[in-house]
Amino acid sequence: GIGKHPSYDLGGKTVTVEDVLPEGLRYIETQSIREVTTLGLQGKDIKSRFELPEKNTTGKITYTFPNMGYIGYYIQIRTAVDPGLLAENIGKTLVFPNTASLWVDGKSQDITAQASQTVKVTEELLKKTGTQKVDGDRLVTYSILVNKQGVDLLPGKDMLNLE
């Protein structure tokens, strides 16, 4: 959370959080923004009160909290790995380090937070699942997922025949 540090009086100040996404990740959505107290998360999602980053953004995203005061905020975002990067790294593990920094009234505070996420890229070229309707029906629905990672299965050819 931001805004709950006892050494910083943020009353009436504009606080900006800059989150630099690592190469290969793009911002999908802000899942929630919630106020935080010393007791933990409080209340409902309040992201509608804020200007949110544009979807599918790469690089830096920002959140601005005007007149922050002594309220803390918890921000949760969703990102996606570039499909091309996934296709190039099947069977490998990718690491995405991430850094966020805090600015007050447009000035850097030399306060950063880092996190790192490991993504195991699995090779799942073909997957089949089945479900039966719960009402006692004798019907079964099958689903087939082909080439989830978008791998070029036949380099130089335009068509793949499923039999």
Side-chain angles (χ1 to χ4, degrees), residues 3-6 35-42 70-73:
K4 299 301 292 178
H5 197 287
E35 292 183 354
V36 179
T37 68
T38 55
L39 301 175
L41 299 179
Q42 301 294 313
Y70 292 97
I71 299 171
Y73 293 97

Side-chain angles (χ1 to χ4, degrees), residues 1-51:
I2 58 171
K4 299 301 292 178
H5 197 287
S7 302
Y8 294 93
D9 176 8
L10 300 176
K13 296 182 180 177
T14 297
V15 173
T16 302
V17 175
E18 289 186 352
D19 190 0
V20 179
L21 300 177
E23 189 173 331
L25 281 187
R26 63 185 162 83
Y27 165 82
I28 299 297
E29 68 176 338
T30 300
Q31 290 184 289
S32 68
I33 298 177
R34 299 181 186 276
E35 292 183 354
V36 179
T37 68
T38 55
L39 301 175
L41 299 179
Q42 301 294 313
K44 297 178 181 177
D45 179 18
I46 57 172
K47 70 182 177 192
S48 62
R49 295 185 197 170
F50 301 97
E51 184 175 334

Side-chain angles (χ1 to χ4, degrees), residues 38-136:
T38 55
L39 301 175
L41 299 179
Q42 301 294 313
K44 297 178 181 177
D45 179 18
I46 57 172
K47 70 182 177 192
S48 62
R49 295 185 197 170
F50 301 97
E51 184 175 334
L52 301 176
E54 189 173 323
K55 293 183 179 190
N56 293 312
T57 298
T58 58
K60 180 174 66 175
I61 60 173
T62 60
Y63 293 89
T64 301
F65 301 90
N67 300 313
M68 180 166 234
Y70 292 97
I71 299 171
Y73 293 97
Y74 171 84
I75 306 166
Q76 186 175 26
I77 69 169
R78 179 175 292 172
T79 61
V81 179
D82 175 10
L85 189 62
L86 290 174
E88 293 169 5
N89 289 283
I90 290 179
K92 298 179 183 174
T93 300
L94 301 174
V95 179
F96 295 99
N98 177 257
T99 302
S101 58
L102 189 71
W103 296 67
V104 177
D105 288 340
K107 297 178 187 168
S108 173
Q109 300 301 299
D110 292 323
I111 298 172
T112 61
Q114 291 89 21
S116 185
Q117 183 60 48
T118 301
V119 175
K120 173 83 173 137
V121 183
T122 59
E123 184 173 5
E124 189 169 58
L125 297 177
L126 188 63
K127 179 180 180 180
K128 184 174 183 178
T129 58
T131 57
Q132 179 184 4
K133 289 179 87 176
V134 181
D135 63 6

